[in-house]
Amino acid sequence: MENLGIYIHIPFCVKKCAYCDFYSMCDLSLREDYANALISQITSFRAEAKNKIVDTIYIGGGTPSILSGDQILRILKAVRKIFKVSGDAEITLEANPGTLDPEKLVAYHEAGINRLSIGLQSADDKELSVLERIHTREEFEHSFLLARLEGFQNINVDIMYALPGQTEKTLSDTLDYVIGLDPDHISFYGLNIEPETPFGENEEIKRLLPSEDVQVEMYLNSAEKMEAAGFFQYEISNFAKPGFECRHNMRYWKLEEYLGFGPAAHSFFDGTRFSYAKKLKQFILLPCQRSNLIETQEKATVADSALEFVMLGFRLRAGIDVVEYGERFGDDFEARYGAKMQPFIEKEYIMKTKNGYRLSRRGLMVSNYILSEILDFSQDSE
Amino acid sequence: MNRQDKIRNFSIIAHIDHGKSTLADRLLEATQSVSTREMEEQLLDNMDIERERGITIKARAVKVKYEAKDGNIYDLNLIDTPGHVDFNYEVSRSLRACEGALLVVDATQGIEAQTLANTYLALENDLEILPVINKIDLPSADINGVRTEIEEVIGIPAEDCPAVSAKTGLNIGDVLEKIVTDIPAPEGDEDAPLKALIFDSYYDSYRGVVVYVRVLDGDVHAGEKIRMMNTGAEFEVVEVGYMSAFGLVPADKIAAGEVGYITASIKSVADTRVGDTVTDAENPTKEPFPGFKEALPMVYAGIYPADGAKYPDLRDALEKLQLNDAALTFEPETSIALGFGFRCGFLGLLHMEIIAERLEREFNLDLVTTAPSVIYKVTYKNGDVKYIDNPANYPDPDEIAKAEEPIVRGNIITPTDYMGGIMELCKERRGIFLDMKYLDKTRVELHYILPLNEIVYDFFDALKSRSKGYASLDYELDGYKESKLVKLEILLNLELVDALSFIVHADKAYARGRKIAEALKDNIPRQLFEVPIQAAIGGRVIARETVKAMRKDVLAKCYGGDITRKKKLLEKQKEGKKKMRKLGSVEVPPETFMAVLKLDEEQPKNFCTKGMLLSWKTSVFISTFRSV
């Protein structure tokens, strides 16, 4: 039996946030049809389910909490019917404050959801309104406390930095506030201005962004603050109390298998990466015609995977284990990367660990630069 | 009528964009009815591969037949001329092969700098000048105004000159009749020893160099032993013939008064210099045709492969281009900053841009080109005199007794509205005003002596931007002049970058140093460390800028397991990095070396307007005469 993760995409939002380029839409009338289509697609994976044991499920979006407790229950039932799901599986649902109520939370909990990821982004109402979020800090607090009350013992809160108009002070206040609520996990992402979003076309917004130096200070100071509060940084953007690291996301970084369901979902299964097109209607009509839905499909060679392992491994605090690298890919990490890493090691962007290498926090901040310097894309053609 | 009485040899001269190529096309079209039938018969007998692929043949001259109103059939030889100041000497040789020239003037623009420059060249060569007013179909055409201008400014009669639209074909017949009636027939001595003027040549991989000549005296035929009188090279003629609109047409001989080609298994265009005289090796003519000059480079620049491993490819590419371009010179050069490359000599900036572009496009090379430099003449304290084409080799000030720089005579024609700004520009560029002449109420011609290195340094851009594109410049070299010159050196991260050094007049060194430091700051991407940029003269820093260290370059979002997107992003970033040059520890994009040239004016542009570049290319690389 091999472990497997499952990702389920819910492409609906009450309202699209101004910075978001993820796939979602606001026509909520299709929810029921969509849930049924998901169930059909999941059911068509009986063959793939053989010899697999699912130990993480992640329902992301969009806004998954836009679905009713019953819809979530039926989707998870379908997963359980087709796949063997381990008893201690981590089952996450992304939730947006303002879409949660006590009945829904009870139903989610009873459906088997044991981890909630709540998008706060900022505890400053002015910043929330610039982001065009649908909730206030008070509404978030209400949802969070309600979730605790209904028995959720593993809750993540999303926070963003580098927001338009954000200062080190407002960010620090947001962190103090969140830490005060005592969640189990904090995701801490920098805002990235994507070209095809309202922010991407808004020069005024771009002008309000903190300077690069301030952004770096925000990241470094926040990381220290969270660690001081007991949230250990285990990945470039993720902090958790011991034992609360997100097991599903770790699959991505460790190059383990996952199957995605729904339009725009990505999968890495049986050595192949594939993704579905962003076509909701087509998916609802013919959810089982995989060849029509698949947009990209690529068999990963050993060299591809070795490169991805390095690219993703450097996101982790634990970094890259050179012995594991050697065993998995039959390649000598030191021979391939040693010389290229040297200048970065000297300047302490890359740190030596007991079993290999990791990026320092300063290194994480410039990880695109470092990776584009050291990664050996020609390795593919060897 | 004797044979030569039915020949007319002519060129078309014009300012850029006044319609030279279009007029040439129309003339060929108009004469096609007579010539097509005959030429096709000739071509059918000679249908080898290269004739089939007529595109490989560079038509710089073409013979057509025209039935005139007097009932005779004339051979018209149209000889093309490159229309840019860089190629003045080539133009003069092409004109020498003719008895007359059509001077095309745009009815909406009137006379421009190159119109005048080319007219003077034509007059120097004793050509009959036939003005042709073009673009009369345009609403703003002022035919009478332009007629008056031609008479007053150039001083040739224009009251009955053809007014045409090359675009629509209107009145093209008038031009053909005028060619027959007004341009004199050649008067070569048919019985004298062979004397032929080379006005162009190109390398063909099948037959070697194809030499375009105008036969002045005697005749030339296959099997004849010929000598190039100035280079002394001797060859046995393989084939002679004419240039038709469809390709080369072999003939038994070409004789006095005619324009044609010679092939003789010649390996390099260096043996067939434009302007040289071809004669019979056994029965040579007494004197070569006068005025032969070897085309000498005026501007030098370092050309380096972006990828050091491509050095041999770059050498091969330069050798191939040189086969067809005797004016291009190159020598291996080493730069600490850029590695192995070549110091290349060009006739001018346009020539340089064309070569660089051909290297990149036709040979698929990524290049780093350093800022162009002129040739400085340095007299050392020990009496030695050296010509220095690379700023990196410029000696220390205490070794120099006298430094001289090349100067040019520049003619600028501009609407009077922009005269003030242009005179200011010339003053800024150390120009010495000679005189000025009003061409009419709205336009003026300014004469200046200017240092060539000021022209190399974005002068065309500045001129264009200060005259909204209306002013035009023409110049010719006018010797050397003593000057206060200093070497400005650039240090990146405290290391000297030899490839960025250049020579500048002492009075301008501070301002130029500051601007270059600023330009470099804008061009150098942020590195993981702070990069100080310094401009220095003789070790003394005169300007300093800093590229701040990069602290954030991360895209952490990696949504729903979409690894591929992230990977592609990094791969793209890596591709971008590969194009960078590493100068010591600093990564620099290849454009940086040219960017330091383009500082003065707001609009960053090419040295020459695209129009100039395209127009020249159309006339050279693409056969102008593919009219069918």
Side-chain angles (χ1 to χ4, degrees):
Chain A
M1 294 291 256
E2 279 177 46
N3 288 339
L4 177 70
I6 282 181
Y7 175 80
I8 297 166
H9 190 62
I10 310 297
F12 299 104
C13 282
V14 175
K15 176 168 172 278
K16 192 114 180 142
C17 303
Y19 57 89
C20 177
D21 71 336
F22 291 158
Y23 179 59
S24 77
M25 55 178 51
C26 304
D27 179 359
L28 304 184
S29 65
L30 295 168
R31 278 180 291 184
E32 181 63 16
D33 290 343
Y34 183 73
N36 292 334
L38 267 180
I39 290 164
S40 303
Q41 190 181 48
I42 292 164
T43 311
S44 74
F45 272 73
R46 202 176 287 276
E48 286 81 358
K50 240 170 126 187
N51 294 325
K52 303 283 180 190
I53 182 156
V54 171
D55 62 354
T56 68
I57 301 174
Y58 195 100
I59 307 176
T63 308
S65 56
I66 229 166
L67 295 192
S68 68
D70 177 59
Q71 284 162 337
I72 294 292
L73 176 69
R74 283 164 46 220
I75 292 164
L76 286 176
K77 259 191 182 161
V79 174
R80 290 205 159 88
K81 199 172 119 197
I82 301 302
F83 294 90
K84 186 170 166 44
V85 178
S86 76
D88 64 346
E90 173 197 273
I91 305 177
T92 307
L93 178 101
E94 284 182 350
N96 217 347
T99 59
L100 293 174
D101 57 53
E103 293 76 40
K104 239 187 197 177
L105 281 166
V106 172
Y108 289 159
H109 204 206
E110 282 176 357
I113 304 290
N114 54 24
R115 184 172 182 271
L116 274 187
S117 174
I118 307 179
L120 167 65
Q121 316 313 355
S122 166
D124 182 307
D125 283 343
K126 273 203 303 264
E127 287 167 12
L128 287 175
S129 94
V130 170
L131 294 176
E132 299 180 28
R133 300 282 298 174
I134 59 166
H135 59 87
T136 60
R137 160 172 161 166
E138 199 186 329
E139 283 167 304
F140 160 78
E141 190 169 314
H142 186 68
S143 298
F144 183 89
L145 296 176
L146 214 54
R148 278 286 194 236
L149 206 65
E150 299 302 342
F152 286 94
Q153 287 171 7
N154 185 353
I155 301 182
N156 166 59
V157 176
D158 282 344
I159 298 176
M160 291 174 93
Y161 72 99
L163 300 178
Q166 193 178 39
T167 64
E168 290 182 76
K169 173 79 171 65
T170 61
L171 174 62
S172 163
D173 288 350
T174 292
L175 279 167
D176 287 338
Y177 167 76
V178 170
I179 289 167
L181 287 173
D182 197 28
D184 310 286
H185 188 285
I186 299 174
S187 283
F188 185 71
Y189 281 93
L191 172 69
N192 195 54
I193 304 288
E194 303 289 346
E196 314 234 313
T197 61
F199 271 12
E201 289 147 14
N202 188 331
E203 293 308 313
E204 174 65 11
I205 287 291
K206 289 183 199 166
R207 214 175 45 76
L208 287 172
L209 294 174
S211 72
E212 183 176 314
D213 281 340
V214 170
Q215 292 186 20
V216 172
E217 292 307 314
M218 282 176 164
Y219 179 80
L220 298 177
N221 294 338
S222 302
E224 269 177 37
K225 193 188 250 296
M226 286 184 278
E227 292 224 316
F231 295 89
F232 181 73
Q233 180 175 19
Y234 67 100
E235 197 253 358
I236 183 164
S237 308
N238 286 294
F239 298 77
K241 296 258 185 75
F244 285 89
E245 296 84 9
C246 176
R247 279 154 52 195
H248 184 82
N249 279 338
M250 284 299 288
R251 307 196 88 86
Y252 299 148
W253 320 138
K254 298 294 284 181
L255 242 67
E256 291 166 10
E257 290 194 326
Y258 49 94
L259 274 176
F261 296 98
H266 289 258
S267 299
F268 178 46
F269 190 81
D270 204 12
T272 299
R273 292 199 181 279
F274 62 94
S275 68
Y276 295 123
K278 296 175 174 176
K279 291 176 182 161
L280 182 67
K281 297 232 160 109
Q282 192 183 341
F283 176 78
I284 288 175
L285 283 172
L286 298 162
C288 301
Q289 292 211 351
R290 251 179 262 175
S291 56
N292 281 336
L293 296 170
I294 286 178
E295 185 173 69
T296 65
Q297 182 164 12
E298 198 182 356
K299 180 97 189 144
T301 63
V302 176
D304 285 337
S305 297
L307 184 128
E308 287 164 6
F309 184 85
V310 177
M311 174 178 101
L312 300 169
F314 270 130
R315 300 173 68 98
L316 300 173
R317 173 60 158 270
I320 287 158
D321 184 327
V322 299
V323 179
E324 185 188 353
Y325 178 88
E327 281 169 2
R328 278 180 78 165
F329 309 108
D331 193 37
D332 185 341
F333 185 85
E334 298 280 359
R336 192 175 291 280
Y337 293 105
K340 286 189 197 155
M341 288 193 302
Q342 200 48 44
F344 298 107
I345 293 171
E346 279 165 20
K347 297 214 162 72
E348 296 190 341
Y349 288 103
I350 296 178
M351 316 295 283
K352 261 194 89 63
T353 62
K354 212 171 98 202
N355 302 319
Y357 300 90
R358 69 175 178 90
L359 293 184
S360 66
R361 229 170 244 157
R362 243 166 16 99
L364 287 171
M365 273 278 93
V366 289
S367 56
N368 279 9
Y369 185 99
I370 295 173
L371 288 171
S372 66
E373 191 80 11
I374 66 171
L375 284 184
D376 186 1
F377 289 97
S378 63
Q379 195 184 346
D380 291 9
S381 51
E382 279 171 19
Chain B
M1 264 180 141
N2 76 25
R3 190 185 51 82
Q4 291 188 60
D5 286 341
K6 292 194 213 165
I7 298 174
R8 296 291 180 272
N9 298 316
F10 68 100
S11 286
I12 306 179
I13 53 183
H15 187 73
I16 291 293
D17 289 339
H18 280 200
K20 186 174 82 168
S21 312
T22 324
L23 180 64
D25 283 350
R26 281 300 157 272
L27 292 177
L28 296 178
E29 241 173 57
T31 52
Q32 199 185 307
S33 51
V34 183
S35 52
T36 321
R37 185 172 12 99
E38 290 177 14
M39 280 192 296
E40 265 174 2
E41 281 168 15
Q42 287 169 318
L43 281 168
L44 283 173
D45 297 332
N46 300 288
M47 195 68 90
D48 60 33
I49 296 170
E50 63 192 292
R51 279 203 188 87
E52 221 171 11
R53 304 178 314 169
I55 44 160
T56 58
I57 295 162
K58 188 180 70 163
R60 278 285 288 278
V62 69
K63 175 165 118 173
V64 295
K65 286 188 183 289
Y66 172 63
E67 188 174 350
K69 285 182 181 151
D70 65 10
N72 290 312
I73 293 175
Y74 290 85
D75 282 346
L76 305 186
N77 288 306
L78 166 54
I79 296 172
D80 192 25
T81 57
H84 188 271
V85 57
D86 283 1
F87 305 97
N88 247 342
Y89 175 68
E90 280 72 6
V91 177
S92 81
R93 293 304 89 183
S94 294
L95 295 178
R96 276 280 160 145
C98 305
E99 278 77 38
L102 305 184
L103 174 67
V104 183
V105 183
D106 186 323
T108 69
Q109 305 284 323
I111 289 167
E112 302 272 3
Q114 284 169 338
T115 320
L116 277 188
N118 287 325
T119 306
Y120 295 146
L121 266 178
L123 289 172
E124 275 170 31
N125 289 292
D126 295 327
L127 298 198
E128 180 69 28
I129 294 176
L130 272 187
V132 176
I133 300 175
N134 190 21
K135 304 198 189 179
I136 61 165
D137 57 309
L138 294 181
S140 55
D142 176 10
I143 301 172
N144 287 329
V146 172
R147 270 191 219 280
T148 315
E149 194 175 68
I150 292 170
E151 292 186 344
E152 285 177 1
V153 176
I154 304 177
I156 51 175
E159 73 271 17
D160 63 342
C161 76
V164 308
S165 165
K167 199 170 120 203
T168 65
L170 181 67
N171 297 343
I172 293 300
D174 296 356
V175 179
L176 288 164
E177 270 307 306
K178 273 277 182 194
I179 291 170
V180 170
T181 56
D182 286 24
I183 293 178
E187 291 172 348
D189 182 347
E190 311 208 0
D191 302 318
L194 170 65
K195 182 189 263 188
L197 170 70
I198 302 177
F199 64 86
D200 195 14
S201 66
Y202 69 91
Y203 183 80
D204 176 301
S205 48
Y206 291 96
R207 43 176 117 212
V209 177
V210 177
V211 192
Y212 284 8
V213 295
R214 156 70 194 274
V215 183
L216 300 155
D217 295 326
D219 59 44
V220 58
H221 54 82
E224 187 172 345
K225 204 157 178 220
I226 52 168
R227 178 188 305 152
M228 311 299 167
M229 294 185 82
N230 285 292
T231 64
E234 293 193 1
F235 303 95
E236 192 182 307
V237 175
V238 174
E239 187 180 291
V240 299
Y242 308 105
M243 289 71 83
S244 84
F246 307 93
L248 301 181
V249 182
D252 294 339
K253 63 171 190 177
I254 46 174
E258 292 184 311
V259 172
Y261 71 89
I262 301 173
T263 69
S265 303
I266 304 168
K267 297 281 179 291
S268 161
V269 288
D271 287 328
T272 58
R273 295 289 188 145
V274 168
D276 203 348
T277 304
V278 183
T279 192
D280 188 313
E282 268 125 41
N283 178 23
T285 183
K286 284 198 188 76
E287 294 288 332
F289 195 76
F292 174 76
K293 265 200 308 200
E294 215 170 293
L296 291 176
M298 285 169 83
V299 172
Y300 283 79
I303 294 187
Y304 292 81
D307 172 2
K310 293 273 172 71
Y311 175 79
D313 300 10
L314 177 58
R315 189 185 49 222
D316 290 351
L318 284 166
E319 277 169 4
K320 284 205 181 97
L321 287 182
Q322 204 179 38
L323 284 177
N324 250 327
D325 186 348
L328 169 69
T329 65
F330 61 91
E331 268 176 31
E333 168 181 271
T334 322
S335 151
I336 301 158
L338 298 173
F340 292 100
F342 295 93
R343 194 80 193 157
C344 301
F346 309 96
L347 294 173
L349 294 172
L350 177 68
H351 189 211
M352 168 174 150
E353 283 223 333
I354 289 169
I355 295 290
E357 197 175 322
R358 291 188 68 186
L359 287 170
E360 298 204 323
R361 232 180 26 198
E362 295 170 31
F363 298 92
N364 212 6
L365 292 163
D366 278 332
L367 302 178
V368 179
T369 308
T370 66
S373 168
V374 302
I375 310 163
Y376 297 96
K377 184 179 170 188
V378 175
T379 310
Y380 287 69
K381 286 200 172 134
N382 66 9
D384 290 354
V385 175
K386 277 188 188 161
Y387 288 90
I388 295 179
D389 60 31
N390 184 350
N393 301 333
Y394 200 79
D396 285 339
D398 22 314
E399 291 178 57
I400 300 173
K402 189 166 94 172
E404 290 167 88
E405 64 178 327
I407 52 167
V408 300
R409 273 174 181 276
N411 295 339
I412 298 168
I413 292 187
T414 175
T416 44
D417 293 356
Y418 309 115
M419 192 170 80
I422 287 172
M423 292 180 89
E424 206 177 295
L425 171 69
C426 290
K427 202 175 146 205
E428 282 165 23
R429 299 308 178 87
R430 301 187 281 130
I432 297 166
F433 176 78
L434 296 176
D435 57 26
M436 61 191 279
K437 195 167 96 190
Y438 277 88
L439 299 180
D440 55 33
K441 284 196 187 96
T442 58
R443 279 172 331 130
V444 64
E445 183 182 8
L446 305 169
H447 297 135
Y448 273 91
I449 296 282
L450 284 156
L452 181 61
N453 87 350
E454 297 286 350
I455 290 181
V456 165
Y457 177 78
D458 87 344
F459 189 84
F460 281 102
D461 282 351
L463 189 66
K464 289 287 165 202
S465 87
R466 291 196 194 192
S467 66
K468 302 214 167 89
Y470 283 112
S472 52
L473 166 77
D474 181 80
Y475 63 86
E476 60 181 334
L477 203 57
D478 196 42
Y480 276 84
K481 191 182 156 196
E482 187 167 358
S483 183
K484 278 193 294 176
L485 300 170
V486 293
K487 176 153 99 169
L488 193 63
E489 296 183 311
I490 302 293
L491 294 90
L492 285 187
N493 206 19
L494 312 178
E495 285 172 70
L496 177 70
V497 181
D498 56 356
L500 286 173
S501 302
F502 66 103
I503 309 301
V504 61
H505 191 264
D507 294 349
K508 307 185 113 190
Y510 279 86
R512 193 70 57 90
R514 262 198 312 278
K515 278 187 175 162
I516 285 193
E518 281 166 23
L520 284 171
K521 185 189 164 200
D522 294 339
N523 266 279
I524 296 175
R526 299 218 262 168
Q527 324 271 317
L528 286 183
F529 46 88
E530 196 173 275
V531 180
I533 300 165
Q534 294 161 302
I537 298 172
R540 195 161 43 89
V541 173
I542 59 161
R544 186 194 154 104
E545 291 282 342
T546 306
V547 181
K548 280 176 65 185
M550 175 173 62
R551 296 186 66 198
K552 184 165 181 267
D553 179 14
V554 60
L555 182 58
K557 192 173 71 168
C558 195
Y559 168 71
D562 184 0
I563 307 300
T564 317
R565 180 171 164 191
K566 175 97 185 161
K567 199 162 121 184
K568 290 221 169 93
L569 190 97
L570 289 173
E571 200 166 356
K572 211 169 135 197
Q573 190 166 347
K574 184 157 193 116
E575 281 305 310
K577 264 190 189 164
K578 270 192 199 150
K579 296 207 174 89
M580 300 272 194
R581 271 325 272 226
K582 205 139 191 168
L583 301 184
S585 47
V586 184
E587 283 179 335
V588 172
E591 307 82 65
T592 307
F593 298 91
M594 291 300 275
V596 298
L597 268 182
K598 305 181 177 181
L599 307 175
D600 268 13
E601 306 291 326
E602 287 301 304
Q603 301 156 278
K605 269 195 210 150
N606 283 329
F607 294 117
C608 326
T609 64
K610 269 290 179 246
M612 287 163 95
L613 197 63
L614 283 176
S615 163
W616 193 84
K617 276 181 192 153
T618 341
S619 59
V620 178
F621 300 130
I622 307 164
S623 155
T624 317
F625 304 122
R626 278 181 303 141
S627 58
V628 270

